[in-house]
Amino acid sequence: MNYVQPWVILAFSAIIFFIGFAGILVRRNILVVLMCIELMLNAANLTFVTFSKQLHHMGGQMSVFFIITVAAAESAIGLGLVVAMFRTLRSVDTDDIQLLRE
Amino acid sequence: MLALIALFPLIGFAINGSWYAFFQAPQGRTKSGATIPGIIATTAIGLSFLVSLLLFFELKGLPADNRVLEQVVFNWMNIGGFSLDVAFRLDPLSSLFTLFVTGVATLIHLYSIGYMSHDATPGKFFSYLNLFSFAMLMLILGANLPIMFLGWEGVGLCSYLLIGYWYADMEKASAGKKAFIVNRVGDFGFLLAMFMIFEKFGTLDMSQLRVGVFALAEHGHQLAAADLGIITAICILLFVGAMGKSAQIPLYVWLPDAMAGPTPVSALIHAATMVTSGIYMVARLNFMYNLSPTALEVVAIIGGATAFFAATIAIAQKDIKKVLAYSTVSQLGYMFLGCGVGAYAAGVSHVITHAFFKALLFLGAGSVIHGMHEEQDITKMGGLRSKMPKTFLTFAAGWLAICGIPPFSGFFSKDEILWQAYASPHGSKILWALGAMTAVMTAFYMTRLFYLTFLGTPRFKEANGDDHGKSHGHDVHSENKHAGIAVHESPMVMVLPLQILGVLSIIGGFIAIPHMSWIEHWLDTVIPAHDPASLIAAPSMEWVLMSVSVVGAALGIFVGFKLYADLKKAEELKLRFAGLNKLLENKWYIDELYEATIVRPIHALSVGLWKGFDIAVIDRTVLGFGRVSQWSGQALRVIQTGSLQHYALVLLMGLIASVGYLLYGLA
């Protein structure tokens, strides 16, 4: 059987990670920012699974389960915050949340 | 048992003080009777008098050469080789002092119940009085110098609290401060002396110190010059402390101002007890003073000069309490004169007789002031004899006692001091002359006071009608300003202490009759009696001097009566010596002199330091730190954009930097 080479998968996950990061940097819509965070988390998951397979070690897969759980919690809280933010500010633009600066 | 003497007033202070602080003060300054706190305080000090009396008899029962009772309450500190106990020691001298201090204080506490009946905060007053008694007893009973010093400071503190008791009045508050500050100057001397004693003898316990000093003296009976120098320095520094407490030149200025306090305070602190602590200390450490002729000479000269100087001021004062205050300063001078010529027992007996008659005079004056509704100017009194017969009678006893008319108490003790000033090996004719002149002046100004207050015709507008007699008190005070003064005799609770003190003033002198002086014999173990052979004058001179001083006193009284029987003549005389009168009335301008030479320069220096150093240097430094952090905050604020993406970018850069370092930097 012909396996996909590990470096391909690692490169792939790196690309996804940086796509996510670039999204965080350039997009102002907070919903998109949250989606980009999910992208980055899943890129990390992919890396973990790859190494787990490569090194024959289950620790990586364990971490993935944790990350999935954390990601679920994170998006629940994040979306909740977005709703609260929209209620008070009538906006989902990150440029509008600069109150601490004042 | 011994500690109980000091403990009772402390308990009284705790009860009255906490009652005042926790129950009365939080509810505002409401009027409340002086009776309950007064009874508590009087009971406390009365119990301590009883204990003193018991212990006095216990002491009397002991063999004469071993009359010491000791009690170590607890070990206060133990640092290295230095151990300090809170210990009390009762010997003939301290027993005598506890007896008269607690005795006179009990009477004065009792009197205060009447005197302070219209006061707003009697709880505070009585707690202070008790605290004062406690401190004074510590001073007397302390077995070592630090405990004595605690009491020494304690009486200074209480004196401040009580002089400034009516602190709403700025003048009274500053009189309190003056007393405290002047006393501090003296205390500094005491403290230095204590350091020197510890350095030299390695102990602060007084009986060990006595042993140490005797050991020093026994080496060939002649002290080495260096030792003599140290002992003289210690004695003089201690005497500086005594100058402050016992109001001697040049630190006497606080005592007359201390009359701002309530009259019982003047009687208790500034006549009977606190001011005698200097004499007590000198008498207590007589073994040290005896070694240093120079120190004795200083004590005698300062004492004699103070006696004379204060008497001249007393002649021209108008305020009844000021006259008595200067007379106290003058009498204290006498006591130091006695100590300074080596006649400690005579000094101590004068302390005791003086406590009786001066407390009596002050309380009598308080009774007059109370009866006259806070009038203190003797030129506005007169003719009070018929209005206040009991006060008049007791005051007369005090007056004769202080004038030195036999057989009243002042005569014996004063005469013994004068005789010793003349005849003792440390004495001289000049010292005697100073004392004798003071005696004549004393008789004169006391007669003046007595005559202007009680005899002659009233010089105030009298209120008619007896309605004031029943409702006497401050509630009718304002009304009296217009309607004249309804003079009334003081209540029983005030008159009774006067009568007891009056009796004591009459008979008190018998403990100190020359040649069979009980007091000298009693103090024998603490204060070695004079060897009669060492006197430098013929014994027959004693009778001559005695008659001279009696005649002098009689002369003073006679002149006083003659002069003030006709007030116009007195006024004429005053005008003829207007310059001198003005000088005396203004107390030789000593206060002004101190103001110009000490207070103003210190004030100027303080202002200079405040503006030149405090504001210019310290404030600028502190504010500078604030400004630096403000500026740096302002500068760093720029990078805090508040934009989420900026932070994320910085995070990324940080991440890259760390990963790069981990990958390449470590290798």
Side-chain angles (χ1 to χ4, degrees), chain A residues 21 24-25 27-28 94 101, chain B residues 640-642 645 648-649 652:
Chain A
F21 205 94
I24 288 176
L25 288 186
R27 297 303 295 263
R28 292 287 180 269
T94 56
R101 195 192 167 205
Chain B
Q640 299 282 334
T641 58
Q645 276 77 20
L649 187 64
L652 175 71

Side-chain angles (χ1 to χ4, degrees), chain B residues 136-218:
Chain B
M136 187 68 201
L137 290 167
M138 285 261 284
L139 193 162
I140 294 167
L141 291 173
N144 49 42
L145 287 168
I147 299 298
M148 190 180 180
F149 189 67
L150 270 190
W152 189 268
E153 291 287 322
V155 292
L157 168 73
C158 293
S159 161
Y160 159 75
L161 290 173
L162 285 166
I163 295 167
Y165 177 69
W166 288 314
Y167 54 81
D169 184 340
M170 206 46 215
E171 202 181 312
K172 289 171 178 168
S174 59
K177 279 189 277 182
K178 185 174 181 182
F180 195 67
I181 292 166
V182 174
N183 263 308
R184 291 296 310 162
V185 177
D187 294 346
F188 184 62
F190 192 120
L191 210 55
L192 283 183
M194 217 151 75
F195 294 155
M196 286 182 75
I197 286 173
F198 189 71
E199 179 69 27
K200 176 75 189 160
F201 298 101
T203 177
L204 289 170
D205 184 276
M206 277 185 269
S207 60
Q208 281 172 29
L209 180 64
R210 190 187 167 105
V211 173
V213 170
F214 280 153
L216 208 61
E218 251 162 31

